[in-house]
Amino acid sequence: MKKIDKYATLAVEKGVNIQKNQKLFIRSSVDNADFARTLAELAWKKEAKDVIVQWFDEKITRQRYLYGDSDIFGIEEKWYIEYINKIVEEDYQVITILSNNPENLKGVDPEKIAKESKAISKISKQFAEKMINYDIQWNIIALPSSEWAVKVFPNAKSSEEAVNLMWDAIFEVNLIDDNDPTENWDNHIKNLSVQTKKIQEYNFKSLTFKNSLGTDLEVGLPKEHIWVSGDIKAKTGNRFIPNIPTYEVFTAPHRDKVNGVVYATKPLIYMGNVIDNFWIKFQNGKVVEYKAEVGNELLEKLLKIHPNADFLGEVALVPHSSPISKSGLLWYNTLYDENASCHIALGAGYTSTLAGTKNLSEEERMAKGLNQSLSHNDFMIGSECLDIIGKTQDGEEVQIFKKGEWVI
């Protein structure tokens, strides 16, 4: 329990970094009610002006999809629009607690899921933009659920044992030990910043990814791209850590300058289902071919659900020796798996990764090479055999990764 309390304190004080008189919006499963209450109390003690919680229940969500008629999905409900607008207009900072069952919606009609997802994305557009532009402070963390833990630890003797094993793993990769986790994270952020500064100085024109699985992908970069890692400075002036854990250094690809084929190295969890063993081919930035052995129909939905969802918005570098990778676990959760592996994201790019785009229109951002979309879906491409070559503006080739590890 002491470590769980440390984890909650880390989320409030270093993650979202709530300040006096700021408002906090917590999104939590009903299964995580105790932890959400702890977050709320910590925020109140930091003199937050208000704390509200949005509860959800995966089991009820599954029931709705299984038994509800198709015509109840995809409706842009007025009450929900007003609710989200309140969060946006009153500048609530945000903590999201993940504990999803990776296959909660397995067997559900994908058309229902796609309709609902599309409507929610439209309603939440301003909210998502505030987060992706770092206008507010936000943080995403994860807690074990029995369904998720059993998926990650299938050989556990019971769901209780699986949950305990997952807690141990979460504490380890999130640097929660007998020491002060705040100090641990300060040192971790400093180390990430050093690597970020190194790669920024090269001002690469492109990156080429190759591995023995068949990946051969060239990712062009905009001239004014910015490498980002660890903590972020929000529009509020406060620094925060969006993802706990985080081991990535990332930037914006040029949306029109991605060519070649890439093979995913881990499953992608999308709409409560698993997409696995898939590859994607790009031509001039756009996806032109794809194939998944598991979840191909869902992969098609992901690529077509929103305009520009089939262009890249992020490229991120993570060494194969990251603590999450060294855990040897397949987490079936993007927050964790993306921090075990180099990854790319289909959909929206972050304005923080391309200079001069913060106050531009969507059309102007895309003209500069930053993709804009209502979706952002990361998938993992890193492996122990991945090599990455960077090409500078002068045409010089520099090895960035060799056999899955930094060499600059």
Side-chain angles (χ1 to χ4, degrees), residues 121-248:
S121 294
K122 287 182 178 180
I123 293 170
S124 305
K125 182 179 180 181
Q126 285 183 295
F127 177 65
E129 284 181 349
K130 275 212 159 189
M131 293 180 68
I132 208 167
N133 294 333
Y134 302 133
D135 290 336
I136 57 172
Q137 298 143 229
W138 53 274
N139 173 251
I140 302 175
I141 58 171
L143 269 64
S145 67
S146 57
E147 294 87 357
W148 180 25
V150 167
K151 184 75 174 176
V152 177
F153 295 95
N155 296 322
K157 295 177 182 178
S158 65
S159 60
E160 291 80 6
E161 181 183 23
V163 168
N164 289 333
L165 289 169
M166 178 168 272
W167 268 123
D168 289 341
I170 284 175
F171 292 146
E172 183 173 354
V173 301
N174 284 297
L175 313 178
I176 308 293
D177 52 27
D178 294 333
N179 300 319
D180 179 3
T182 299
E183 184 177 344
N184 292 344
W185 272 83
D186 285 342
N187 293 331
H188 175 51
I189 294 299
K190 285 179 183 177
N191 292 335
L192 279 176
S193 297
V194 169
Q195 197 63 64
T196 306
K197 184 177 180 181
K198 281 183 182 180
I199 195 168
Q200 184 68 58
E201 290 173 349
Y202 281 96
N203 189 28
F204 286 116
K205 184 178 182 179
S206 67
L207 308 177
T208 298
F209 297 76
K210 291 186 179 183
N211 67 18
S212 61
L213 303 175
T215 290
D216 188 352
L217 185 73
E218 183 178 42
V219 178
L221 303 176
K223 281 189 177 181
E224 296 180 289
H225 69 273
I226 301 169
W227 289 92
V228 179
S229 67
D231 66 340
I232 305 290
K233 186 176 182 179
K235 185 179 179 181
T236 60
N238 303 314
R239 301 199 74 84
F240 70 103
I241 302 173
N243 294 340
I244 292 179
T246 181
Y247 290 91
E248 65 179 316

Side-chain angles (χ1 to χ4, degrees), residues 75-130:
I75 299 172
E76 296 178 34
E77 297 283 2
K78 183 179 178 181
W79 69 267
Y80 191 61
I81 293 172
E82 292 174 351
Y83 180 73
I84 291 298
N85 284 346
K86 173 185 172 67
I87 304 301
V88 171
E89 292 165 5
E90 298 188 18
D91 287 324
Y92 277 80
Q93 319 309 307
V94 182
I95 296 180
T96 300
I97 307 171
L98 303 178
S99 59
N100 308 70
N101 174 358
E103 297 182 293
N104 185 54
L105 300 183
K106 185 176 181 179
V108 169
D109 181 358
E111 286 297 330
K112 291 181 181 179
I113 305 173
K115 285 172 66 177
E116 192 75 350
S117 178
K118 197 168 185 177
I120 292 173
S121 294
K122 287 182 178 180
I123 293 170
S124 305
K125 182 179 180 181
Q126 285 183 295
F127 177 65
E129 284 181 349
K130 275 212 159 189

